[in-house]
Amino acid sequence: MALEHAILVSLLERPGSGYELARRFERSIGRFWTATHQQIYRVLKRMEVDGWVVAEEIGQDRRPDKRSFSVADSGRRALVEWLRAPVQPEAVRHELAVKIRGAAFTDEAGRAALISEVERYRADHETLLYTYVNGEKRDFLDRESEDVGQRLQHVVLRGGIAYERMLLDWLDDVLATLRAL
Amino acid sequence: MALEHAILVSLLERPGSGYELARRFERSIGRFWTATHQQIYRVLKRMEVDGWVVAEEIGQDRRPDKRSFSVADSGRRALVEWLRAPVQPEAVRHELAVKIRGAAFTDEAGRAALISEVERYRADHETLLYTYVNGEKRDFLDRESEDVGQRLQHVVLRGGIAYERMLLDWLDDVLATLRAL
DNA sequence: CGTTGCTGTGCAACTAGTTGCATATGGATG
DNA sequence: CATCCATATGCAACTAGTTGCACAGCAACG
């Protein structure tokens, strides 16, 4: 598993509570590793038991108290060790591709419905691309003065942007192909 | 889940045994939906119980007997219905991106090891790209004369090619960034 | 003052997927 | 003749991830 390690990276970048982590997984980290808050709390508990992270109770005035987590030495060592291990081959699950090949086995109306779905999917990813591009403009203005962490976050974001651009081009190809059937 | 549906598409394209399906999932279908033979046999059994597929016993001379599956009417209806449903947002799990951001928290030797890993990963995907491109040349010579199924398979393959090209470009960016740290 | 909404934490049950193992036929290699 | 490889099917145990639900504080709105 790598959720532990994604959490370690996120907490090393900045300590935070389970709730804050969950919100980060909806945004930045979640672009390449999704997780729900339930899963995060469960894994966080295990990591605390294993001594990878330590919690600090923080009482808050206008909000419920929270437990802010930081990475302990053994957690950092675990991360460094994991970084050295070979990258596991990804488990690809691209539902849309299955549906496109499945379109050969439905009727005209079914294909029309799929075209609508692809259009909606394309619009969502176009929005996502703009979000990324705006985030890049906002957070990575001056490439020369970036520190190590920022450079690495930036190159990962550039990957997201490249992916979304490639996806939009391909979706146009898909739409043209479906419409021409 | 969509493994059922991926199997339905594969069996509609051509009936086959669990073993044959497993081999297809290592190649064509597995480019966008991975599954092991154990999982396939289990799901296939459930699909048979549900009446989505029917098996035919085939005795073979030089090989163990096999059970060849075809899609039944109710399976085809289930697929058509699923095709109409909205595409679920993908659960992204991109381990390499986590490792790249994690590289901020290791030492020089750790980053060197990561660079080697990225190089290996890049070489693997370059090989994969050549496999796709060769497959395209072999199977999709004459775009005008393609039937519906081939056109759809081809557009999905073009997606795989576009993805691999984008990935290689990005990995070069990653390598340059890591080396310049 | 009731509802909605954000912050904050978590359990329980379920589903999907992985890993390790088992078994059998028969061809090819050394 | 033993071993390895490809074909062929499957169980059992485990791990990871999803879904549904619950509870609590406090602020803002009407």
Side-chain angles (χ1 to χ4, degrees), chain A residues 4 7-8 11 21 43-55 68-76:
Chain A
E4 275 94 338
I7 289 175
L8 287 173
L11 287 179
L21 277 172
V43 170
L44 223 32
K45 173 167 263 184
R46 183 168 65 224
M47 291 168 79
E48 196 184 7
V49 170
D50 293 347
W52 286 16
V53 295
V54 286
S68 186
F69 290 92
S70 312
V71 177
D73 278 356
S74 72
R76 194 170 174 132

Side-chain angles (χ1 to χ4, degrees), chain A residues 11 20 59 64 70 72 102 126 136 168:
Chain A
L11 287 179
E20 284 161 354
S70 312
E126 198 164 33
E136 188 186 28
L168 291 178

Side-chain angles (χ1 to χ4, degrees), chain B residues 5 58 89 161:
Chain B
H5 302 103
I58 298 183
I161 289 170

Side-chain angles (χ1 to χ4, degrees), chain B:
Chain B
M1 212 213 336
L3 177 54
E4 276 95 337
H5 302 103
I7 289 175
L8 286 173
V9 169
S10 192
L11 288 181
L12 281 165
E13 288 174 354
R14 182 204 306 252
S17 67
Y19 185 83
E20 282 161 354
L21 276 172
R23 291 192 51 200
R24 289 184 215 170
F25 272 83
E26 283 169 11
R27 304 163 186 225
S28 139
I29 286 274
R31 282 200 284 263
F32 45 90
W33 204 277
T34 52
T36 58
H37 79 268
Q38 292 92 331
Q39 211 189 333
I40 289 167
Y41 280 114
R42 202 192 331 172
V43 170
L44 222 32
K45 173 166 263 183
R46 183 168 65 224
M47 292 168 78
E48 195 183 8
V49 169
D50 293 347
W52 287 16
V53 295
V54 287
E56 184 197 358
E57 310 281 334
I58 298 183
Q60 299 183 115
D61 276 358
R62 309 166 174 279
R63 290 170 187 189
D65 298 354
K66 66 176 178 179
R67 304 183 66 225
S68 185
F69 290 92
S70 313
V71 178
D73 277 355
S74 73
R76 194 170 175 132
R77 279 195 301 274
L79 179 68
V80 167
E81 195 180 323
W82 175 76
L83 287 174
R84 284 180 163 283
V87 177
Q88 298 296 117
E90 266 112 68
V92 185
R93 302 260 142 78
H94 199 324
E95 194 186 318
L96 185 61
V98 179
K99 290 203 175 188
I100 290 164
R101 275 173 73 152
F105 308 103
T106 187
D107 58 12
E108 188 61 42
R111 283 201 289 273
L114 184 59
I115 288 172
S116 300
E117 256 306 297
V118 175
E119 283 167 344
R120 188 193 55 75
Y121 185 85
R122 192 194 183 287
D124 287 353
H125 280 274
E126 197 164 33
T127 304
L128 194 54
L129 173 60
Y130 293 147
T131 308
Y132 288 0
V133 170
N134 287 333
E136 188 185 26
K137 277 184 197 146
R138 188 184 60 242
D139 300 332
F140 302 104
L141 261 168
D142 184 10
R143 198 152 161 186
E144 300 307 306
S145 67
E146 286 173 3
D147 65 26
V148 169
Q150 283 175 321
R151 278 173 208 220
L152 294 170
Q153 287 180 35
H154 191 178
V155 76
V156 170
L157 179 57
R158 288 201 298 275
I161 289 170
Y163 175 79
E164 295 302 328
R165 285 199 216 278
M166 179 281 299
L167 186 63
L168 291 178
D169 285 347
W170 177 64
L171 289 172
D172 288 337
D173 186 4
V174 168
L175 285 168
T177 304
L178 286 173
R179 287 188 183 120
L181 280 186

Side-chain angles (χ1 to χ4, degrees), chain A residues 1 3 33 36-39 42 46 61-64:
Chain A
M1 214 215 333
L3 177 54
W33 203 277
T36 59
H37 79 268
Q38 292 94 330
Q39 209 189 334
R42 202 192 328 172
R46 183 168 65 224
D61 276 357
R62 306 165 176 279
R63 291 173 188 186

Side-chain angles (χ1 to χ4, degrees), chain A residues 16-36:
Chain A
S17 67
Y19 185 80
E20 284 161 354
L21 277 172
R23 292 192 52 199
R24 288 183 216 169
F25 273 82
E26 284 170 8
R27 306 161 185 227
S28 134
I29 287 273
R31 284 201 282 264
F32 44 90
W33 203 277
T34 53
T36 59

